Amino acid sequence: MQCTQCGREVPEDAIYCPHCTGERKVSDRQVINGGLKGGALGLAVGLALVTVMLGFYELERGIKAIALTVPIGTFTTGLIIGLVRAKRDWK
Ligand SMILES: [Zn+2]
């Protein structure tokens, strides 16, 4: 098996290329950045949804409680999607 980054020979069962350990830290950061980007996007979508929801149901208290959980939910979803995507690019 050849490393996709440095092209050197890597053992078949290796999870990380032993020659690319220096670049691994950058990759870890890229994975985190990808997660944060996804989270920020999810949060933006959640806040937009809440704005629309509050526009329709401004007077109902129960809706406001739900509205608070929506951005948290979309943020978490975006974070996970961002992490998974960045990690897939890494491999
Ligand atoms: Zn390598």
Side-chain angles (χ1 to χ4, degrees):
M1 191 175 96
Q2 264 194 342
C3 171
T4 52
Q5 281 186 32
C6 68
R8 284 200 248 185
E9 200 61 31
V10 179
E12 288 293 333
D13 58 341
I15 301 164
Y16 307 114
C17 169
H19 308 293
C20 290
T21 44
E23 286 178 50
R24 235 198 86 202
K25 278 177 186 171
V26 180
S27 295
D28 278 344
R29 207 180 300 148
Q30 281 172 343
V31 169
I32 292 163
N33 280 343
L36 287 177
K37 259 185 221 169
L41 195 72
L43 193 66
V45 170
L47 287 174
L49 277 172
V50 167
T51 307
V52 172
M53 277 172 76
L54 289 180
F56 280 116
Y57 309 102
E58 206 177 341
L59 298 171
E60 290 181 48
R61 268 195 184 172
I63 296 295
K64 278 188 182 174
I66 296 165
L68 273 176
T69 63
V70 169
I72 298 165
T74 53
F75 172 77
T76 310
T77 308
L79 187 78
I80 291 164
I81 291 169
L83 283 172
V84 169
R85 273 195 176 176
K87 211 156 197 176
R88 202 183 295 154
D89 288 345
W90 176 16
K91 280 180 181 175

